[in-house]
Amino acid sequence: MTTTEETGRAYTYADLPGLMSLMTGDEKHGPAATSTLDVLWVLYDRVLRVDPRRAADPGRDRFLLSKGHGPMAYYAVLAAKGFVPTDWLPGFGAYDSPLGHHPDRTLVPGVEIGSGSLGHGLPLAVGTALGLRAQGLDGAAVWVLTGDAELDEGSNHEAVAFAGPAGLERLHTVVVDNASASHARPGGIAARFEAAGWSVATADGRDHEALYTAFTAPHPGRPHAVVARVEPKPA
């Protein structure tokens, strides 16, 4: 098996399409995956304090992929950053592959939650942030990536409403908005989080500098949400 650590190769963003092309087969959910590619890369390359050599470090940041039904981009980024061998990618979705159509935290190094059932990631992130705060692990940030349509789920309504008043400053949500939500919201996605007491930023989901600025915006005493707008999902 080949890993970035074993070869000494440093993968870049330009390598990601090639890594994704290694994953073939049915049920790839290609648009769901590619919509998240830039967000994932900026997070893992410039924001998250995670390291495959210290994947169990209690003080690490936690990244939770709630949008787990399109994990190809996630797997490509994990491979580029040395969490999983690139040799695993061609087996994506096969019976004996650890890389399933939904990520499994017991099989894939660096994965924090099993996901794919929409609406679970943000409530789990709230619980994770509460647990870290209770343990005094105040340096660890919690990040969760959701889709805009996923916010239609009632469990997310409750998580958003709770996190603001609870002052979960170490909680961050990235909403990849590809205009696939079924229910319109007055004022849009950002207004919904703002009404619940969150800090909110909106950015072009393909502009890496804009994403980085939005991700790192200060938000003392409040959770932070970033709405990353990308091209609409194909009909």
Side-chain angles (χ1 to χ4, degrees), residues 156-183:
N156 283 325
H157 286 270
E158 296 180 7
V160 171
F162 175 85
L168 295 181
E169 182 177 345
R170 302 305 290 161
L171 175 64
H172 309 75
T173 296
V174 184
V175 183
V176 174
D177 180 7
N178 63 357
S180 61
S182 299
H183 306 294

Side-chain angles (χ1 to χ4, degrees), residues 10-152:
Y11 286 92
T12 69
Y13 174 78
D15 294 307
L16 296 181
L19 292 174
M20 290 182 66
S21 72
L22 298 175
M23 290 175 272
T24 60
D26 297 331
E27 298 297 329
K28 292 192 298 182
H29 289 285
T34 55
S35 69
T36 66
L37 186 62
D38 297 270
V39 164
L40 287 166
W41 179 255
V42 175
L43 283 173
Y44 272 88
D45 193 53
R46 301 176 62 180
V47 178
L48 293 173
R49 298 180 305 109
V50 293
D51 188 321
R53 295 164 296 184
R54 296 184 293 276
D57 183 352
R60 72 190 183 281
D61 289 346
R62 272 70 167 177
F63 173 77
L64 283 61
L65 181 69
S66 187
K67 189 180 169 70
H69 59 290
M72 286 199 309
Y74 186 37
Y75 293 152
V77 171
L78 288 176
K81 291 301 179 181
F83 285 91
V84 302
T86 56
D87 285 13
W88 285 9
L89 300 180
F92 167 68
Y95 175 77
D96 57 352
S97 172
L99 303 182
H101 293 300
H102 294 177
D104 187 328
R105 70 177 184 85
T106 67
L107 298 178
V108 186
V111 171
E112 297 284 356
I113 61 169
S115 60
S117 295
L118 298 182
H120 289 179
L122 185 51
L124 287 170
V126 168
T128 301
L130 285 169
L132 291 171
R133 185 164 73 178
Q135 296 175 73
L137 295 171
D138 298 324
V142 180
W143 289 82
V144 57
L145 190 158
T146 76
D148 59 323
E150 192 174 354
L151 294 182
D152 291 343

Side-chain angles (χ1 to χ4, degrees), residues 160 173 175 187-203 213-215 217-219 222-229:
V160 171
T173 296
V175 183
I189 295 171
R192 176 180 180 185
F193 282 90
E194 288 171 347
W198 290 59
S199 165
V200 185
T202 299
T213 298
F215 292 161
H219 51 96
R222 295 192 291 168
H224 185 53
V226 174
V227 181
R229 292 177 172 164

